[in-house]
Amino acid sequence: MSNEASHKPSSPLSIALAWLVVLAPAAWGVYLTALRAANLFK
Amino acid sequence: MSLFSFLDRDHSVAKPGYSRWLVPPAALAIHLAIGQVYAFSVFVNPLLAFSNSIGTPWSHKQVGYIFSFAIALLGISAAVFGKWLETAGPRKAMFVAASCFGLGFLVAALGIKLHSLPLIYLGYGGIGGIGLGVGYISPVSTLIKWFPDRPGLSTGLAIMGFGGGAMIGAPLATNLMAHFKAHGLEPIGPTFFWMGVVYFLFMMFGVFTIRVPAPGWKPEGFVPPVHQSAMISKHNVTVNSAMATPQFWLLWLVLALNVTAGIGVLESAAPMLQNLFSSKVTVFAAGGFVGLLSLFNMGGRFVWASLSDFIGRKATYMVFFVLGAILYFLLPSIHVLSLFVIVAGILISMYGGGFSTIPAYLKDLFGGVNVSAIHGRVLTAWSTAGIIGPLIINAYLDKYKAANRPLVDAYPHILHIMTGLLLLGFICNLLVRPVSERFWMKEGDLIPADHGGH
């Protein structure tokens, strides 16, 4: 990769992907926990 | 160039154009992984059943030590390696954390294979515990450097991950164990193995993504305020000097007391709920209550730390101690289910908020240069609270047991003791003042390269 290329601003897509990598498992965990928590109000 | 030179601090300096919004996901990758430790309880019954099946039954206490070792090592390694982290940089520290945390699982899997409990202690508790401590503090100072305008929000985001890690770790472990069992295999060993591999890879995402800002970097348009609160220092303090200040020990007490009180509500809320609302709440639904508390714990870490950017750290802790003391005192007398749940949730959010607000509080008082190292030392308060909290609770429960009184009657008293601890915390926080000039770093003290020092 050239220096010029590595100095490009981070693309919004790469930022979104980075967040997706960590938020997807977190959302899965939160969803399952919220399902369990809903039992309290049934 | 050696194979691992990409881990060096010099190789992780961000090029112009690198977005600081890539740093929180890197930090979250570490914290969401190591937060798995709070889901360790899902392994307890399978481990007991496994030990029975091999004819050498382990006691509940022996299995419980695995978690205790891990938490003890978290505090010790955060305190010991914090100073090293400041010079080694976050990428190397995250790599060490990922390697230790992953390897810990693999050694524990070997322990299952060889039917060796000491090997499980060494793996999950010892090696994994070091991964926990190094991982916990590794992104903190980097986040603060990237977000000088919002240090509370940035560290809150990462430490929120630690609160949420169990929500991923628990279903991941139970699903893997069910999968291996369905295929006629002993479930724990392969589950440890694959969790070690998966968590290592997940944490490596953080290792590759993290960058430190270039010397002198500032967010676009950010102008440090000329007039700011006296509680926000423009000077830095070394970790050894910090430990000589009363402020360090006052914050140590603030964290220890807040965490001890939080442990009180974590232990008491579910049994109290079942007792107070026995006609409405089944054991199954009480499990949902514990899940709800986890959500409040996670959300509180983000919300309170972010709020502290606006109202100040001292004021945030004042809210924890004043509102907390009132709510802890009132909780046993609340007989409306929804209100009980909300109050317990607010209390647990403040327990989480205590963890996530402390790095920014330390940065305000001691500067950002050595904040990871100082944070690591302060985390010994957490380990101490982890011993003191259960000691207080068990002493009360034993007292009631000896007197043949129902255990549920003990919980209101436990919460009232916690109210007293919060009032002590209030006094400690009230006494926090700006750090004296004689503790400030002087010219010639070693400043890490990303601060433009030498």
Side-chain angles (χ1 to χ4, degrees):
Chain A
M1 194 187 282
S2 72
N3 264 352
E4 198 179 296
S6 64
H7 288 200
K8 273 185 185 169
S10 309
S11 74
L13 184 67
S14 67
I15 298 169
L17 276 175
W19 279 96
L20 185 70
V21 168
V22 290
L23 288 186
W28 176 63
V30 168
Y31 169 70
L32 292 177
T33 309
L35 272 188
R36 210 156 59 97
N39 294 325
L40 186 63
F41 301 102
K42 276 181 185 165
Chain B
M1 188 191 276
S2 79
L3 182 64
F4 292 105
S5 65
F6 84 99
L7 297 171
D8 294 342
R9 176 187 277 277
D10 293 346
H11 289 103
S12 59
V13 177
K15 301 272 189 294
Y18 176 86
S19 169
R20 62 175 176 163
W21 289 102
L22 286 164
V23 181
L28 270 169
I30 301 296
H31 272 249
L32 280 169
I34 61 174
Q36 179 281 336
V37 70
Y38 276 129
F40 180 77
S41 58
V42 298
F43 291 118
V44 172
N45 284 334
L47 280 168
L48 292 173
F50 169 75
S51 67
N52 282 326
S53 71
I54 57 170
T56 50
W58 301 329
S59 70
H60 212 281
K61 207 172 173 180
Q62 282 176 308
V63 171
Y65 283 146
I66 304 170
F67 174 79
S68 305
F69 281 146
I71 293 295
L73 259 292
L74 186 159
I76 294 167
S77 56
V80 170
F81 293 111
K83 211 170 170 178
W84 164 78
L85 191 159
E86 295 294 4
T87 47
R91 185 177 280 174
K92 197 175 270 181
M94 284 180 173
F95 179 73
V96 168
S99 304
C100 288
F101 194 63
L103 184 65
F105 270 111
L106 301 191
V107 172
L110 187 66
I112 294 289
K113 178 112 182 136
L114 302 177
H115 303 168
S116 166
L117 187 58
L119 210 50
I120 303 174
Y121 288 151
L122 173 72
Y124 191 92
I127 303 171
I130 293 171
L132 291 177
V134 176
Y136 192 93
I137 57 171
S138 61
V140 168
S141 68
T142 305
L143 283 163
I144 286 175
K145 285 160 199 164
W146 277 111
F147 291 86
D149 46 342
R150 300 291 298 278
L153 174 136
S154 62
T155 54
L157 264 172
I159 294 174
M160 174 182 76
F162 194 79
M167 293 185 204
I168 303 169
L172 179 65
T174 47
N175 284 335
L176 280 173
M177 284 191 287
H179 170 80
F180 291 121
K181 206 171 179 180
H183 286 76
L185 296 167
E186 179 289 307
I188 311 172
T191 299
F192 276 163
F193 177 84
W194 283 109
M195 285 183 82
V197 172
V198 168
Y199 276 124
F200 174 76
L201 294 175
F202 190 60
M203 291 168 86
M204 284 306 286
F205 167 75
V207 172
F208 284 113
T209 310
I210 195 80
R211 300 281 188 284
V212 292
W217 178 88
K218 283 189 186 76
E220 216 176 297
F222 173 68
V223 182
V226 182
H227 301 290
Q228 58 186 10
S229 160
M231 291 296 289
I232 303 175
S233 174
K234 284 181 180 159
H235 301 273
N236 292 291
V237 179
T238 65
V239 64
N240 291 338
S241 298
M243 288 186 75
T245 64
Q247 287 83 354
F248 175 91
W249 295 105
L250 286 169
L251 287 195
W252 191 95
L253 281 169
V254 159
L255 183 66
L257 292 164
N258 193 53
V259 175
T260 307
I263 290 171
V265 80
L266 277 170
E267 299 269 341
S268 310
M272 273 174 58
L273 179 95
Q274 284 179 70
N275 181 49
L276 287 170
F277 308 101
S278 53
S279 59
K280 293 179 191 164
V281 178
T282 61
V283 176
F284 183 61
F289 177 61
V290 175
L292 198 66
L293 291 187
S294 310
L295 289 174
F296 272 99
N297 182 7
M298 184 178 156
R301 288 167 191 250
F302 177 67
V303 171
W304 288 111
S306 302
L307 182 72
S308 75
D309 285 335
F310 298 100
I311 67 169
R313 322 304 165 196
K314 192 170 179 174
T316 306
Y317 274 94
M318 284 305 186
V319 174
F320 295 163
F321 291 128
V322 175
L323 180 64
I326 294 167
L327 295 183
Y328 269 88
F329 191 79
L330 293 178
L331 188 67
S333 52
I334 296 174
H335 294 277
V336 179
L337 177 62
S338 53
L339 191 60
F340 184 94
V341 170
I342 289 168
V343 168
I346 293 171
L347 287 174
I348 220 65
S349 79
M350 294 193 289
Y351 162 78
F355 283 114
S356 59
T357 310
I358 204 83
Y361 206 165
L362 293 168
K363 178 253 167 201
D364 286 356
L365 288 170
F366 301 111
V369 169
N370 296 301
V371 71
S372 280
I374 299 169
H375 185 213
R377 302 279 168 98
V378 167
L379 287 180
T380 52
W382 179 7
S383 308
T384 309
I387 297 166
I388 293 172
L391 270 180
I392 295 172
I393 294 161
N394 290 331
Y396 247 87
L397 293 178
D398 287 345
K399 197 174 134 188
Y400 272 68
K401 216 174 194 172
N404 275 330
R405 294 172 67 183
L407 290 185
V408 286
D409 291 350
Y411 292 112
H413 294 283
I414 290 168
L415 289 186
H416 290 159
I417 289 176
M418 298 307 162
T419 305
L421 293 182
L422 286 175
L423 293 175
L424 270 178
F426 173 82
I427 294 167
C428 293
N429 190 43
L430 197 66
L431 293 173
V432 175
R433 296 275 184 273
V435 174
S436 163
E437 196 176 321
R438 68 194 163 97
F439 294 107
W440 294 349
M441 280 172 80
K442 311 214 172 22
E443 264 184 58
D445 284 333
L446 187 69
I447 298 175
D450 57 320
H451 284 273
H454 47 274

